[in-house]
Amino acid sequence: MAKTRICFVGGGSYNWMPKLLGDLALTRDLEGNIVLHDLNPSALEDIQRYGRKAVSQAGTNFSIETTTDLERSLEGAEFVVVTITTGGLDTMAADLGIPEKYGIYQSVGDTVGPGGLSRALRNVPVMAGIARAMERQCPNAWLLNLTNPLTVLTRVVGLTAPRLKAMGLCHELFGVRGGLMRMFDATVDDFEMRVAGVNHLIWLLDMTIRGQDGLQMVRDFVADGRPLPISDASGGWHEPFVDRWKLKLELFNVYGALPAAGDRHLAEFFSYFLTEATGKGEDYGVLLTTIADRQQQVAAARKDVQAAIQGELPALSRSSEATADIVSAVANGRSVRTIVNLPNTGQIDALPRGAVVETLAEITSAGAQPLTVGAVPPGVLSTLQPHVTNQEMIARAALEGDRSLALQALVNDPLVPNLQIARKLLDELLEAHAAYLPQFRQRVAAAV
């Protein structure tokens, strides 16, 4: 039984915290202190009450405290989990609305495209500040980033505080694997996978299911006309968030490797899915996620938390997130294999060293050892290279307040049709988010 101290930055999140705290409560070989940090005191109070009920129900031994002071929250932490959203949904409304004026549609708007760039520019100063604070308060802690754009923000931690143990964590692979489990009545232990890519654009290059060729099994399943593993929208999924697998299978037919992320995310990495000609993605089963959809999602999550703390807490069950497994393995001196985002030290050939990529890795108390994938098929590589380059430019543009780099990244994005629109877009996005972009204000002041 390991005792540890875990800090959640963004600990007032109604979407993230119930499942992350529930997972920790159900982890029998952990105990210790959980610190929730957020700028919203009322949300912190709700999540603290929820967490205490979860811990009590599970019978585990965690104390849960709250603070709005970042430095205090990080004191003595062994793990720091980051789930932030700088500016909230109000700023995201501009990320989606401004590009749409120019005919640019985004099914998510938080990873690539104009929305991904804009979100990165806002979040980077905050993430860099968290990394610097960790260097002061808990330099030996692990930073587990769950915040989008995950690739850029994880890279920024490495550029800001290279000695920190930092990685990005995403659940998209587990969602696709869950669909495959439903298709073939399989369990997690039935799978062997070789996975490579960047966050929200990862590819299953090889896969076996119970020792058989899993990719061929998928081809045969589709050829037989059997029903796809679509999540039931009535089971808590709002309609635009449902993964219908149609776009994924379209890419599988083209590239011979199966994308291992939700179709909503995948669509934004290509120029030809989210267009007027495709019904803004609907021809491929992708619906645009509006701010109203997200507000509904947050309101539902808040309602569930408040109902749980005022009444009876529903029975806890483990989520598909890897956070608790990583904390448990490291704190107890074991290892865990999971999907992570780490700097490329050679795990993927032909991609720049240092750029953040997503592969399987073994995590131990000594650090994270990514599994070597080696060469990837040329077609798959061609989908990754431009985004790796762009995300490197965005990370540096955001850290340095470099408008020129930001423009280069925007005009290179497949959702942006031309340079003229890119220039107008960048001007409007920077103006809309000026309050959250101190690095750009400083650059302008210095130039004057």
Side-chain angles (χ1 to χ4, degrees):
M1 175 73 70
K3 187 170 185 178
T4 190
R5 185 175 178 86
I6 308 164
C7 171
F8 289 93
V9 179
S13 170
Y14 290 98
N15 285 330
W16 277 108
M17 293 313 302
K19 57 185 173 182
L20 296 178
L21 291 176
D23 288 348
L24 285 172
L26 292 171
T27 304
R28 300 297 180 186
D29 58 1
L30 282 178
E31 62 180 14
N33 309 107
I34 295 172
V35 183
L36 306 177
H37 169 270
D38 205 283
L39 302 180
N40 184 336
S42 62
L44 278 179
E45 182 180 356
D46 283 349
I47 300 300
Q48 181 186 45
R49 292 174 63 189
Y50 180 96
R52 286 174 172 172
K53 290 190 77 167
V55 166
S56 176
Q57 183 186 101
T60 41
N61 187 22
F62 276 107
S63 68
I64 303 178
E65 59 186 272
T66 68
T67 180
T68 57
D69 185 319
L70 177 63
E71 298 278 345
R72 179 185 164 196
S73 73
L74 295 173
E75 288 178 2
E78 295 177 297
F79 300 90
V80 178
V81 184
V82 182
T83 64
I84 62 172
T85 173
T86 305
L89 292 179
D90 289 342
T91 55
M92 194 171 189
D95 295 346
L96 301 179
I98 293 173
E100 192 159 332
K101 292 193 312 182
Y102 297 96
I104 298 171
Y105 306 105
Q106 299 171 100
S107 41
V108 184
D110 68 1
T111 300
V112 291
L117 168 72
S118 186
R119 189 182 183 95
L121 299 183
R122 291 196 305 276
N123 275 329
V124 161
V126 180
M127 183 63 85
I130 293 167
R132 287 190 289 266
M134 286 180 65
E135 285 185 311
R136 294 189 293 272
Q137 301 292 350
C138 53
N140 296 317
W142 291 66
L143 189 155
L144 308 179
N145 174 42
L146 279 63
T147 302
N148 289 327
L150 192 138
T151 301
V152 171
L153 296 181
T154 304
R155 177 64 167 146
V156 160
V157 174
L159 293 171
T160 304
R163 294 188 179 182
L164 289 183
K165 297 185 290 261
M167 67 183 73
L169 301 178
C170 181
H171 52 219
E172 292 292 307
L173 173 64
F174 305 133
V176 172
R177 185 181 63 188
L180 293 166
M181 290 166 64
R182 295 192 296 276
M183 289 166 71
F184 302 113
D185 191 25
T187 68
V188 170
D189 292 337
D190 291 332
F191 288 82
E192 291 290 336
M193 298 180 290
R194 192 164 69 100
V195 188
V198 295
N199 184 236
H200 294 154
L201 183 62
I202 54 173
W203 298 82
L204 280 165
L205 305 175
D206 298 298
M207 173 177 63
T208 60
I209 304 175
R210 294 187 289 266
Q212 299 181 61
D213 183 341
L215 295 182
Q216 187 59 49
M217 290 171 67
V218 173
R219 293 187 187 95
D220 294 342
F221 186 98
V222 174
D224 289 343
R226 298 166 66 184
L228 296 175
I230 300 171
S231 301
D232 183 3
S234 66
W237 289 90
H238 300 304
E239 191 66 21
F241 297 93
V242 173
D243 184 13
R244 293 172 179 80
W245 274 65
K246 187 174 180 181
L247 188 148
K248 207 181 334 289
L249 292 174
E250 191 79 26
L251 291 170
F252 182 36
N253 287 335
V254 173
Y255 291 100
L258 181 66
D263 285 2
R264 297 165 58 247
H265 281 300
L266 293 169
E268 296 183 327
F269 286 83
F270 302 88
S271 62
Y272 38 81
F273 291 120
L274 301 170
T275 67
E276 291 285 356
T278 65
K280 303 175 187 177
E282 292 189 20
D283 288 359
Y284 293 95
V286 175
L287 303 180
L288 304 184
T289 309
T290 66
I291 294 301
D293 294 324
R294 291 184 176 275
Q295 289 170 334
Q296 181 184 6
Q297 182 189 52
V298 172
R302 184 187 298 111
K303 182 179 178 181
D304 288 345
V305 167
Q306 292 175 343
I309 62 181
Q310 292 166 8
E312 185 174 346
L313 189 74
L316 297 174
S317 61
R318 284 299 298 264
S319 78
S320 61
E321 304 300 329
T323 305
D325 291 332
I326 290 173
V327 172
S328 173
V330 171
N332 284 288
R334 298 195 306 270
S335 68
V336 62
R337 177 175 293 189
T338 190
I339 190 80
V340 298
N341 289 260
L342 291 168
N344 187 25
T345 55
Q347 56 265 43
I348 302 180
D349 287 351
L351 290 181
R353 297 299 189 263
V356 170
V357 297
E358 186 165 319
T359 64
L360 295 169
E362 293 285 343
I363 316 296
T364 73
S365 56
Q369 182 59 49
L371 303 188
T372 299
V373 176
V376 299
V380 169
L381 182 64
S382 74
T383 70
L384 300 175
Q385 285 175 320
H387 290 289
V388 168
T389 301
N390 252 25
Q391 288 164 351
E392 285 287 293
M393 287 198 294
I394 291 170
R396 294 185 182 278
L399 279 175
E400 300 165 12
D402 191 325
R403 188 188 190 99
S404 176
L405 271 181
L407 177 61
Q408 291 171 37
L410 192 57
V411 78
N412 287 344
D413 191 279
L415 296 185
V416 178
N418 58 57
L419 177 57
Q420 290 72 28
I421 286 178
R423 284 194 172 113
K424 293 176 182 178
L425 259 181
L426 184 60
D427 287 344
E428 291 194 42
L429 289 171
L430 292 180
E431 182 178 355
H433 302 309
Y436 300 98
L437 304 177
Q439 71 277 44
F440 284 90
R441 294 200 304 273
Q442 291 165 4
R443 181 72 173 260
V444 171
V448 172

